[in-house]
Amino acid sequence: MHHWDSDGIASAVIISKHIGAEKKFIVPRIGTYTYKSVNIESIVNANPDLVVLVDYGISISEAEELRRNVECEVAIVDHHLNKPGQNILVCNPLAYGESSAKYPSTTWVIREHLRFEDPGKTVLGIVGDVEWNIRDHSVKTYVLRFMDDHRLSRKDLKKAVEHVDSCYKLVDYECINYARNVLAEKDVVGVLEDKLLAMKAREVREEMWEAIEESVLLESRGPIKVFSTKSKAYVTSSIGRFLAEKNPEDVVVIKVYVEKLGLVNIYVRSLRYKVGRIIPMLKSKGFNVGGKDHVFSIVCEKGCDEKLKTVVSVLEKQLGGLV
């Protein structure tokens, strides 16, 4: 079971390539992070020996609930902020105190800890998750060497990520499966040259710019900027990245109503502040939240305005400790 973005897809492809057992790919319900986001019955009927959660970012408690329901072993391969589990196999350096700068993507965790070498897919996951905000020298050197060896530019890699990510942003599960197959068979160059994925990416760009143009600044509390908008597609992260880059010294908080999902995202990103440090506080309040040092997202189906107020309030109180 893998996350729907380029890092999740690339990670799933790398792992599947290096294991010989029969396997089945499962994409959870887009936009949600809970064990209930998959058809439990279909997993049980498949009678697997192991379910691997790849780059999915759900909490240990959710993973343990999944284990109880599917009645088989569950493993996590990830780089999102989390903690170790007693009954779950965890391959996630961040759960054991490592820095997210050292592990910017799940593909990099796979390379470093599972020792599965697949440069194109590894780089796609890194660029997909942190773009060019690569803080670790060894990771940056690896990416630049791959670019030189394959004569690929930053623009090329960004385009490849956009092609793969366009599928989930349009909430198109068939497209996700298609992108995964293209990446597995033709690597990054094949993704770049694929006409269907290029068309999907154009659709996403149109949706993103429309949502950005409709965004409204609700309030500004010092460096905390709170925005609101809506979109047909799931382009929350694209909007958040754009606004964060436009406000590099601030914390961007944006509430997005995603029509195709019928839910609200509260998305927080900052280039300067390590906003992910407040994730444990929000989880203790019952928030469905996941993220990393400089970004997190909350799935919200009700009480969203109150949740937004809580997020802003916690950020405001903790801001001094997030630099």
Side-chain angles (χ1 to χ4, degrees), residues 200-271:
K200 297 286 187 180
R202 285 193 295 272
E203 290 180 38
V204 169
R205 283 193 292 272
E206 292 171 3
E207 294 283 357
M208 182 191 77
W209 286 116
E210 184 176 337
I212 288 171
E213 288 172 3
E214 292 187 5
S215 64
V216 176
L217 179 63
L218 296 179
E219 62 176 327
S220 181
R221 297 191 184 184
I224 302 172
K225 304 291 189 297
V226 185
F227 298 85
S228 177
T229 190
K230 63 179 180 179
S231 174
K232 298 183 186 71
Y234 187 32
V235 292
T236 302
S237 62
S238 299
I239 300 166
R241 287 184 188 215
F242 176 85
L243 292 173
E245 288 169 5
K246 289 290 184 182
N247 301 274
E249 296 299 313
D250 300 324
V251 177
V252 166
V253 181
I254 183 163
K255 182 180 78 170
V256 184
Y257 174 64
V258 186
E259 292 179 12
K260 282 190 176 181
L261 297 176
L263 52 77
V264 170
N265 277 147
I266 298 171
Y267 185 92
V268 180
R269 181 179 280 273
S270 177
L271 302 184

Side-chain angles (χ1 to χ4, degrees), residues 27 29 72 127 164 166 176 187 190 277 296:
V27 180
R29 181 190 168 204
C72 73
V127 176
V164 175
S166 65
I176 291 173
D187 211 61
R277 289 178 178 172
F296 65 82

Side-chain angles (χ1 to χ4, degrees), residues 93-143:
L94 272 68
Y96 300 94
E98 288 282 3
S99 164
S100 62
K102 191 176 177 181
Y103 295 97
S105 69
T106 296
T107 59
W108 190 254
V109 171
I110 291 168
R111 180 187 183 274
E112 293 292 284
H113 288 270
L114 300 184
R115 301 297 179 186
F116 294 166
E117 184 64 52
D118 203 324
K121 299 170 189 66
T122 300
V123 167
L124 185 75
I126 294 167
V127 176
D129 262 23
V130 297
E131 293 186 342
W132 303 106
N133 189 29
I134 302 171
R135 298 165 185 263
D136 183 85
H137 178 72
S138 61
V139 180
K140 185 177 291 186
T141 300
Y142 187 89
V143 172

